[in-house]
Each structure stands twice: as C-alpha cells, then as structure tokens.
Amino acid sequence: MTGRPEHQINKDETLSKDGEAVPAPRKVFVKTYGCQMNVYDSERMTDVLAREGYTATDSVDDADLVLLNTCHIREKAAEKVYSELGRIRKIKTERAREGKEMVVGVAGCVAQAEGAEISRRAPIVDLVVGPQSYHQLPDLLRKAKGGEKVVETEFDIDAKFDHLSEKVEKPKLQRAPSAFLTVQEGCDKFCTFCVVPYTRGAEVSRSVSQIIDEAERMAASGVREVTLLGQNVNAYHGDGPDGETWGLGRLLRRLAEIEGLDRLRYTTSHPRDMDDELIEAHRDLKSLMPYLHLPVQSGSDKILKAMNRKHTRDDYFRLIDRIREAAPDIALSGDFIVGFPGESDADFEDTMDLIRRVGYGSAFSFKYSQRPGTPGATMADQVPEDVKTARLAELQALVTEQQKAFNASRLGMTCDVLFEKKGRLPGQLVGKSPWLQPVQIDAPDVLIGSVQPVEIVEIGSNSLFGRLIEGHNETLSQAPDLKEVAFDA
C-alpha cells in the first residue's frame, strides 16, 4: 500500500484500489418550488456542486447536502418551507446519531426575503443563499461545514451570469430533448402585488455570446427545444457581439441559426415589452413556436392601474390583434389574479369579458394573496376570502371551457411533435405539440429526441392522442439512435 494508513483517512475520504485517499462520494438532494426559473437555477446548482464531487439523489434520506430552492410568489410559501424543514430536522438528527453529517441549505426567493430569519426559526439550517449567489456555493459550503451559519443574500447578478456558462458538460445526446435557458433576470415593473423585484432585483440581461455558447452546447448534447427564461423575458436587452444592445427578437433570430435547435420558446412576458421586432420574429421564424404566455392579470382598467401594470385593457386588445395578424395560428396563455384589493363585481366582470374576447388556449389563475413588503399588502378594501374563492371558481370554469375548445380544434390536424420520453404504457411515447400540449402516441423509443409529423386522432382530458402519418418510416430512419440513452428529467 502506497497511500496513507487507513487510520489516517479523513471522514470525507475513502480509499481507492491502489490505497490512495480520495474524496468519498457525496450526494445532494435538491427540492424545487415554483417557477421554471427555479427549475433552471436548481440545475445550475447541481452543475456547480458536481465539480465539488456531489451527485444528485432523489432521496433526502441518503443526502449529504439538502437544498430547498424556494418560491415566494404565493401566500404561505415561507410556512411550507418551515414545515419541510421540520421533516428534514428529524432525518438530520437521525443521521447525526449514526455519525453522519448532513448540511441543510435554503435557496431561492424565500431565502432572499427571509434571510437571517430562516436561521433563527430553523436552527438546523446551515446555509441560506439567495438566487444571485449560487456560483458561490462551494465556498459557502466550506464555511458551513466549518461550523459557520452562512447567510448570503447580496445581489450580484452580473457575477452570477458570468458563472452560468461554467457548467459540467454532459456527454452528447445525454440531455433531455427540451431544456430551459436563462437570458434575463429581475424586474423593474414593480407591480403592486409582486415580490419579484425585491427578491430577484432589477432587470439584468446576459450577453448574447454567453447565451449562444450555452445554446450551442445544449444542441450538441441532444437538446432540440430551448425555452428562454426571464422574470420579464421580453425586456431582454443584452450586449451583442457587434457592440449594440440586442432585444429578444434579434436574439431569437440568432438562436434560430443554431443547427439542431428545432424549437424556440420564451416565458414570461409583459405586454409593455412586446415590441415590433419580437412580433415580427413570430411572423418570420419557423422554429419560434406558435405559443405565447402574455399575462394581463385583470381586465379592469381600475384594477390594472392599482396593480401598476401601466397598460389598459384596450392596449392589451390592440396588442393581441397585432400578434395574431403576424401569427394567426398562435395560442395565447395568460395569468389572472382575482380579488385584488378594491376589485368590485363590475371589475371582475371586466376580466371575464376580456377572457371571452381574447380566447385563451390555456391560463393560470390565482386568488390574490398579500405578500409582505409589497404595496398591495397594505391597501385598503381587501376582498373577503369567500368572494375571492367564488370568483376564482367562475373564472377557472371559463378558461377550462376555452382550453377544451382549443384542444378540440386540433382534432384531425397534422402537426409536428417533439417526442420527449416514454409514456406510462409499454410502447407509448409522450411528446409536445407546437402549442405546448402533451401528445401521446404508440411509437418506438428510437423516436425520443426527434420531431415527427403526427395526426391528432383523439382529444383527452389533459392530453392529445395521435398517430404517425403515413411515410413516417422514412423519417424514422433519420432519427437519432437514442435507444440506450437515459435522459435527464
């Protein structure tokens, strides 16, 4: 044996076959709450930690490091985190009895908003880290392991973006066919119901070169569809390689040139930042999918003003008309908040009228919840909970009716479907339509990661069902050989 005697091996080391001390395998469990941005951030944290020897695990019980990546948008978000921490405390205590270490961290927007309060209320938490500090995780972890209670919530988005490209590359064709890519973070709009400007900071955009580099790596590793992310993604204003500031429309045109990237999407948008260049991209780019999430929140001018949205219902109608003129087959999605302070029956009816006039393919709707630190939380004339509940049920019934009608309109249509994974039944695959609907089909696994023409033959409650159109065998022979690939979720 050429290495150190076994009794000199540290607790974080093990012996290799040749007797050398090497770092012991370590596992990280990441639980993600909230939006796609948090999903993306969790992936980036896992990438950063991979360089430190951590592998991801789906079980909190055998994790050496537990990270809760939190969301602060909805009511009681922080309480859900504390409840989860209570369960983790029992596991950490049991691990300690066995002489095993477990580091517990809270990340994301609750971490940013609550800060030191988390460490005070939940002593088992070793590390609190805000959304802008994930690239510092290795150093912060070392401090936490040294016994220091670490709270890092300072804003430095530029530094975060600088480190996003420093990620562990996965072998070619090892990535799932669809992936998220952050291009913008933060928001300058200060809607009175929203906590994002306080937890994510001001609007900051990544450079074009950073985004293109990451997108090219994604395409090389098997990604066929990229969804660009930002709290206010269509406010993107990144530095271009030509020294000019690029908007989202111009960025999409450049991304459309990348070989292998067949589909582009983006979310979430604000009506005030939907400019001509972006609308023209929907008209011109075949790879830009005909689906747009464009939240309006309310159909009442009075409530829109109270929300500080800085647009009117008529502004929104005119914008929708321009978008549909450029892309007639586009499906629209929206966000709606019912029961904002001061919302009367007439204001709510204005929202219902807007939904009927626009016609949505899908929508997300919520009861207004008071977020501490936002102007809306202290407004007078808060709407009673039972009124909010009744209005939400009525609104959701309408948008569900519209979604079913839109799905039904796809019956008999032939469209391209990106196949992403195996279905629940043997021989079944699940894919995604251009309008973001799940599509199920009986087809061989070899089609995973390819885009195929499919005829929609049945409409389910949550999915479309289709069949490969005649002549698919010709396409099948050109599909990537992915039979042995285990895709990341």
Side-chain angles (χ1 to χ4, degrees):
M1 181 183 292
T2 59
R4 287 177 282 170
E6 188 171 357
H7 67 273
Q8 294 182 10
I9 300 301
N10 296 327
K11 66 177 181 178
D12 292 330
E13 296 179 325
T14 187
L15 286 178
S16 65
K17 291 181 179 180
D18 61 4
E20 293 295 330
V22 297
R26 291 174 293 178
K27 296 181 180 180
V28 56
F29 172 84
V30 182
K31 182 168 183 177
T32 307
Y33 302 79
C35 66
Q36 293 103 325
M37 183 74 82
N38 272 10
V39 174
Y40 180 88
D41 281 343
S42 291
E43 292 176 353
R44 299 293 75 78
M45 284 191 283
T46 303
D47 289 336
V48 169
L49 292 167
R51 293 197 292 271
E52 300 297 309
Y54 285 90
T55 57
T57 177
D58 293 329
S59 172
V60 67
D61 296 288
D62 64 352
D64 302 286
L65 170 62
V66 175
L67 289 172
L68 304 182
N69 191 12
T70 61
C71 176
H72 206 251
I73 297 299
R74 301 264 70 82
E75 188 177 11
K76 299 180 181 177
E79 294 308 315
K80 291 180 180 178
V81 173
Y82 291 120
S83 177
E84 183 69 18
L85 288 171
R87 288 189 285 270
I88 294 171
R89 178 179 57 81
K90 298 177 182 177
I91 299 171
K92 182 173 181 175
T93 301
E94 184 61 31
R95 291 284 298 274
R97 291 195 189 104
E98 299 171 357
K100 298 177 181 178
E101 183 183 38
M102 174 185 278
V103 177
V104 178
V106 177
C109 292
V110 171
Q112 187 70 42
E114 301 284 337
E117 177 69 7
I118 294 174
S119 292
R120 188 190 68 80
R121 285 187 57 180
I124 68 155
V125 174
D126 307 290
L127 169 67
V128 179
V129 55
Q132 320 312 337
S133 304
Y134 298 150
H135 57 285
Q136 300 180 42
L137 267 175
D139 290 337
L140 299 176
L141 271 175
R142 280 186 276 274
K143 292 180 181 179
K145 285 187 172 185
E148 183 179 341
K149 288 289 186 180
V150 178
V151 178
E152 181 56 68
T153 56
E154 294 300 316
F155 277 106
D156 191 3
I157 297 179
D158 289 330
K160 174 184 174 178
F161 282 165
D162 289 341
H163 289 267
L164 281 178
S165 298
E166 300 175 9
K167 60 192 295 292
V168 175
E169 288 309 311
K170 300 172 183 177
K172 190 173 183 180
L173 297 178
Q174 293 288 304
R175 301 230 16 193
S178 297
F180 296 127
L181 197 169
T182 288
V183 301
Q184 180 271 344
E185 189 161 339
C187 185
D188 294 343
K189 299 299 184 289
F190 287 93
C191 297
T192 55
F193 55 81
C194 186
V195 74
V196 165
Y198 311 101
T199 58
R200 291 278 182 169
E203 292 173 358
V204 178
S205 299
R206 295 177 73 183
S207 70
V208 172
S209 60
Q210 283 182 329
I211 295 166
I212 298 304
D213 286 347
E214 186 167 352
E216 287 177 342
R217 287 198 303 271
M218 287 178 168
S221 64
V223 173
R224 306 295 299 276
E225 175 183 281
V226 165
T227 300
L228 307 183
L229 295 181
Q231 267 82 34
N232 193 22
V233 68
N234 58 343
Y236 175 80
H237 53 281
D239 294 332
D242 55 1
E244 296 183 2
T245 298
W246 288 30
L248 186 62
R250 190 173 180 186
L251 175 64
L252 285 164
R253 290 181 187 275
R254 175 64 183 87
L255 288 167
E257 298 173 1
I258 296 176
E259 184 177 355
L261 278 191
D262 297 323
R263 292 181 162 200
L264 299 171
R265 302 181 187 273
Y266 61 91
T267 194
T268 291
S269 302
H270 194 290
R272 287 169 52 201
D273 293 310
M274 200 78 197
D275 61 20
D276 291 342
E277 187 176 42
L278 184 53
I279 294 173
E280 289 165 4
H282 278 280
R283 180 193 66 198
D284 300 336
L285 298 181
K286 181 180 178 181
S287 58
L288 182 53
M289 292 295 94
Y291 175 90
L292 175 61
H293 186 62
L294 191 62
V296 63
Q297 306 299 357
S298 174
S300 161
D301 282 341
K302 184 188 84 177
I303 298 301
L304 287 171
K305 183 176 181 180
M307 289 178 167
N308 196 38
R309 294 290 289 176
K310 296 183 179 176
H311 65 78
T312 66
R313 60 186 274 123
D314 283 342
D315 292 335
Y316 189 78
F317 287 140
R318 285 191 292 269
L319 178 58
I320 296 302
D321 288 342
R322 290 170 56 211
I323 292 167
R324 283 182 164 153
E325 183 179 1
D329 64 338
I330 201 163
L332 291 169
S333 173
D335 285 350
F336 297 94
I337 295 174
V338 302
F340 189 80
E343 183 186 70
S344 65
D345 289 342
D347 295 321
F348 175 68
E349 179 52 39
D350 281 345
T351 298
M352 297 291 284
D353 176 69
L354 181 144
I355 294 171
R356 294 187 195 99
R357 288 177 58 178
V358 171
Y360 289 90
S362 62
F364 302 92
S365 51
F366 313 92
K367 291 187 291 186
Y368 171 72
S369 61
Q370 294 170 273
R371 308 312 303 132
T374 63
T378 58
M379 286 183 177
D381 202 12
Q382 298 284 331
V383 177
E385 193 66 24
D386 60 336
V387 175
K388 289 193 286 188
T389 299
R391 288 176 183 171
L392 181 65
E394 186 177 348
L395 186 148
Q396 289 181 336
L398 176 58
V399 297
T400 297
E401 178 185 320
Q402 290 190 346
Q403 183 172 355
K404 287 181 178 179
F406 179 76
N407 289 345
S409 71
R410 308 297 98 174
L411 186 63
M413 179 181 291
T414 296
C415 63
D416 287 340
V417 173
L418 171 62
F419 292 106
E420 298 181 307
K421 60 184 178 181
K422 296 180 182 179
R424 294 183 179 178
L425 302 177
Q428 186 182 72
L429 297 184
V430 178
K432 188 186 299 174
S433 80
W435 304 280
L436 211 59
Q437 301 145 307
V439 180
Q440 300 185 41
I441 187 172
D442 292 329
D445 294 354
V446 69
L447 292 186
I448 295 175
S450 70
V451 179
Q452 302 291 333
V454 169
E455 180 186 359
I456 305 303
V457 298
E458 185 180 344
I459 308 298
S461 56
N462 297 306
S463 300
L464 308 182
F465 296 86
R467 66 174 182 85
L468 291 173
I469 63 172
E470 292 184 11
H472 75 274
N473 288 333
E474 193 173 304
T475 313
L476 180 62
S477 66
Q478 302 170 2
D481 186 8
L482 306 179
K483 291 180 181 178
E484 304 302 322
V485 173
F487 285 99
D488 297 327

